[in-house]
Amino acid sequence: ILISIFFFPFENKISASEIYFVDYSKVMNESIAGKKAQDYLKNLLKNSNKKFNDTAKKLKEEEKKIISQKNALSKEEYKKKVDSLRKKVFDLNKKRESSIKDVASKRKKAGDEMLKNLNPILGKYMKENNISVVIDKKNVLMGDKKFEITSQIIEILNKDFKSINLN
């Protein structure tokens, strides 16, 4: 029985010409929908960072003002102002952390949405071109460029899928 396994080829064997790869990162970064999502997320992060940095700068100025008033204020009044400032700093850090989590969540949602729309396109492309397996390029150690279908997939995706809703 063992001899027959080694000497007779399997019926469901996949040939190298039926295995293709796609650069998912490139699809995310260069497709119309992917670019729009990346730009939206980049702007969201940039705007929230600017807002947080402006608030932090104001808090730093408030801290300097409180320190300069230390000798003029009673201990209780000084302690109240310092505690109030600490609470503001704590709240700012909490909001900053929440904003970062929100952007990360939206980035994950964008990736999930892209995959959801990419899978049927890949399936149809595979069927039309008699492809058995498509793998992500990051999992390919070495491969002939003729088996990369990233550009074709981006072209089809750009026709069918223009944007990702991240709200």
Side-chain angles (χ1 to χ4, degrees):
I1 296 174
L2 279 174
I3 294 172
S4 66
I5 291 174
F6 290 112
F7 290 112
F8 298 108
F10 293 104
E11 293 296 317
N12 292 332
K13 184 169 68 171
I14 298 174
S15 70
S17 63
E18 296 171 327
I19 301 174
Y20 288 75
F21 55 95
V22 65
D23 187 343
Y24 180 69
S25 295
K26 189 173 181 179
V27 171
M28 266 306 278
N29 294 322
E30 294 183 13
S31 66
I32 293 171
K35 280 181 187 176
K36 284 181 182 178
Q38 296 284 359
D39 290 345
Y40 171 80
L41 292 169
K42 203 179 291 179
N43 286 331
L44 184 65
L45 193 60
K46 181 181 170 186
N47 292 337
S48 66
N49 279 341
K50 183 183 179 341
K51 183 177 81 174
F52 292 127
N53 289 339
D54 290 347
T55 304
K57 192 182 282 186
K58 288 177 187 173
L59 291 176
K60 199 73 165 154
E61 289 170 14
E62 187 177 336
E63 177 188 32
K64 286 178 184 176
K65 184 179 174 188
I66 292 171
I67 291 171
S68 70
Q69 295 174 341
K70 182 177 182 179
N71 294 333
L73 297 172
S74 68
K75 285 185 177 184
E76 295 81 28
E77 191 65 30
Y78 178 74
K79 186 178 181 329
K80 252 189 228 180
K81 288 191 177 211
V82 167
D83 288 345
S84 172
L85 180 62
R86 281 189 183 139
K87 184 181 179 334
K88 289 177 186 176
V89 170
F90 178 78
D91 290 344
L92 174 68
N93 288 334
K94 211 170 189 178
K95 287 178 184 175
R96 180 178 280 156
E97 188 178 312
S98 174
S99 175
I100 290 170
K101 284 181 181 177
D102 182 50
V103 170
S105 171
K106 287 183 180 191
R107 178 165 281 136
K108 182 180 178 347
K109 182 180 179 186
D112 292 347
E113 190 73 19
M114 180 66 84
L115 269 177
K116 187 175 108 185
N117 286 280
L118 185 62
N119 282 339
I121 290 169
L122 273 173
K124 183 178 177 189
Y125 187 87
M126 287 172 66
K127 195 173 209 171
E128 290 172 354
N129 293 283
N130 199 28
I131 297 172
S132 298
V133 177
V134 174
I135 54 178
D136 192 344
K137 186 177 180 178
K138 72 178 180 187
N139 296 319
V140 175
L141 181 63
M142 190 178 294
D144 193 331
K145 286 275 187 205
K146 70 181 180 182
F147 295 114
E148 182 173 359
I149 57 172
T150 306
S151 298
Q152 297 89 317
I153 297 302
I154 290 174
E155 191 177 308
I156 296 167
L157 188 64
N158 285 343
K159 290 177 191 169
D160 297 345
F161 186 56
K162 302 282 186 198
S163 66
I164 299 171
N165 182 10
L166 295 175
N167 293 322

